[in-house]
Amino acid sequence: MRALTWHGKHNVQVDTVPDPQIVNPRDAIIKITATAICGSDLHLYDSMIPGMSNGDILGHEFMGIVEEVGSGNTTLSVGDRVVVPFVIACGSCFFCERQMPAACDNSNPADKADASEIAYGYSMPGAFGYSHLTGGYAGGQAEYARVPYSDYGPIKVPDGIDDERVLFLSDIFPTGWMAAENCQIQFGDTVAVWGCGPVGLFAIKSAILMGAGRVIAIDHHPNRLALAKANGAEVLNYHEVKVREALMEMTAGIGPDSCIDAVGMEAHGFSPDNIIDAVKQETKILGTDRPHVLRETIMAVRKGGTVSVPGVYGGFADKWPIGAFMEKGLTLKTGQTHVQRYLPQLLELILEGKIDTTDLISHRLPLEQAPEGYKNFKDNQNDWTKVVLHPH
């Protein structure tokens, strides 16, 4: 089959690789009908996430048709249309039983788990196409994919609904939803969202559905700010204003009730702290992340407020404003997304027409043009807001 593979920094290629096979009785093989490039994929493209190997198959947002099921799978049948969560989870461990699949204890194989346990204290869950820290599983930017624990993860979608309406159930819709849920929004609250990429846009949509009175979006790309505004947000271009001062003015000196960092480890901008972080990040020793946005959210949120972090961070950072965090009495909520927990509810919102999941799609490409999609998604983020790939 054909698949997009990683070959080093800014080097991804579409190669011919072996077809996936059933390995475990709970496996399924999916013929992929739609997949997408995620902002998190750019961390791999930029070689910011350790544990990648030459030839690894990329991609964690995908859906398709079941081609084959293992003998122990009683949930799926050949021909089912399914969306596959990016998190791989067993469904029966301590964490899965508590609806926390992104903390699954069983999906990261024992021979891979040690690396993330050393880095983070506990092993990470398995994830598709996202380094050997998360199990080394082949991803979904391919013609076919093997899905472990497929009797727990994938959600069936009805015939007649276009792939693009449900594809983002695989990651960015649940991620934006959980980011908003972590804000513990009360009716009428003001929520500020840093980053109007796909996750930020879904966080905006979700916060409004949850009853936020105002959502304020912060970015510098005109098209992304326009999308945020079209979805009901007030917008700030951080090239034109001092963000914290603008937020204080907009909230009568109180500050937002909640702030969402939908940017993560590769914040942009020419602030002094971010320039220092960028230099440290290049060394891979002095620092691994550029947390300018996280610092800014902590300083901007009101006293007693909540900071929600769906943006990906990978290692270590400094200049943490711990004094402000403690003195203001803040709550910080983070984590990989518990996708499986949210799928039935979010699919229902789509089927009822309560949310548009397609307005952020800017480009649709065949799989063979995936390298072009990656390059433009990184270098031209104003115009390339979301890329959907069609392998067949």
Side-chain angles (χ1 to χ4, degrees):
M1 70 171 185
R2 301 288 279 169
L4 186 74
T5 57
W6 185 89
H7 295 277
K9 185 174 182 178
H10 300 162
N11 183 4
V12 296
Q13 303 171 21
V14 180
D15 295 328
T16 298
V17 301
D19 291 347
Q21 304 293 322
I22 296 288
V23 175
N24 183 284
R26 296 175 66 185
D27 287 352
I29 304 299
I30 308 296
K31 177 182 179 180
I32 297 168
T33 56
T35 180
I37 302 174
C38 180
S40 301
D41 290 328
L42 294 184
H43 302 321
L44 304 178
Y45 188 67
D46 291 337
S47 203
M48 295 298 179
I49 301 293
M52 293 297 292
S53 296
N54 192 54
D56 281 349
I57 298 174
L58 296 171
H60 59 268
E61 295 182 341
F62 62 96
M63 65 173 294
I65 300 169
V66 176
E67 287 273 301
E68 185 180 356
V69 294
S71 60
N73 189 325
T74 59
T75 302
L76 297 181
S77 301
V78 172
D80 286 342
R81 291 181 69 215
V82 294
V83 178
V84 180
F86 79 91
V87 170
I88 301 170
C90 71
S92 58
C93 70
F94 175 92
F95 296 102
C96 287
E97 287 184 344
R98 286 158 179 78
Q99 290 291 295
M100 300 169 64
C104 179
D105 257 345
N106 292 328
S107 58
N108 197 337
D111 62 332
K112 308 282 187 181
D114 286 351
S116 60
E117 186 169 341
I118 292 168
Y120 304 130
Y122 296 88
S123 65
M124 298 175 68
F128 290 101
Y130 215 79
S131 95
H132 292 259
L133 284 176
T134 59
Y137 290 98
Q141 290 168 0
E143 292 182 319
Y144 297 89
R146 168 184 165 244
V147 178
Y149 299 115
S150 62
D151 52 350
Y152 174 66
I155 186 169
K156 297 178 187 178
V157 295
D159 292 332
I161 183 169
D162 190 79
D163 280 2
E164 292 180 354
R165 289 184 61 198
V166 292
L167 171 61
F168 302 137
L169 288 170
S170 59
D171 177 2
I172 55 173
F173 184 11
T175 297
W177 185 268
M178 181 169 143
E181 182 182 79
N182 281 346
C183 290
Q184 306 171 94
I185 295 169
Q186 302 296 310
F187 185 79
D189 273 1
T190 296
V191 179
V193 180
W194 274 253
C196 296
V199 168
L201 289 168
F202 272 114
I204 290 166
K205 294 169 184 277
S206 300
I208 291 171
L209 281 171
M210 291 179 188
R214 300 175 73 187
V215 177
I216 303 169
I218 299 117
D219 204 304
H220 71 291
H221 294 295
N223 283 350
R224 292 191 174 196
L225 287 169
L227 278 169
K229 189 172 184 179
N231 278 284
E234 302 167 61
V235 299
L236 294 175
N237 185 326
Y238 66 76
H239 282 170
E240 299 174 355
V241 300
K242 294 181 177 179
V243 174
R244 180 179 172 276
E245 287 82 348
L247 289 171
M248 291 293 283
E249 184 176 342
M250 295 171 76
T251 58
I254 299 294
D257 298 288
S258 302
C259 292
I260 296 175
D261 171 3
V263 176
M265 67 189 297
E266 293 191 82
H268 294 178
F270 295 100
S271 60
D273 66 318
N274 205 36
I275 293 171
I276 294 169
D277 289 337
V279 172
K280 288 184 174 183
Q281 192 179 60
E282 283 299 313
T283 69
K284 299 290 195 298
I285 299 173
L286 296 175
T288 57
D289 297 71
R290 303 201 300 263
H292 170 75
V293 168
L294 181 57
R295 298 186 192 110
E296 198 164 65
T297 59
I298 290 170
M299 298 304 292
V301 70
R302 69 161 170 82
K303 290 178 281 189
T306 300
V307 174
S308 170
V309 186
V312 172
Y313 288 93
F316 296 93
D318 58 18
K319 300 180 291 298
W320 168 261
I322 189 68
F325 183 77
M326 181 270 170
E327 295 292 349
K328 292 171 72 176
L330 303 182
T331 297
L332 176 66
K333 294 181 75 69
T334 71
Q336 292 289 358
T337 309
H338 303 303
V339 179
Q340 289 88 335
R341 178 202 296 177
Y342 299 111
L343 286 180
Q345 175 187 7
L346 300 187
L347 176 59
E348 195 63 28
L349 288 176
I350 293 171
L351 296 178
E352 292 175 354
K354 293 182 178 178
I355 188 164
D356 180 8
T357 58
T358 63
D359 61 340
L360 69 167
I361 300 172
S362 58
H363 293 78
R364 299 161 176 86
L365 302 174
L367 181 66
E368 297 295 328
Q369 292 181 24
E372 173 191 338
Y374 266 76
K375 186 177 189 308
N376 280 285
F377 193 44
K378 173 180 169 55
D379 295 340
N380 190 10
Q381 294 186 8
N382 182 54
D383 296 318
W384 291 65
T385 52
K386 188 64 176 179
V387 182
V388 174
L389 303 172
H390 295 283
H392 290 278

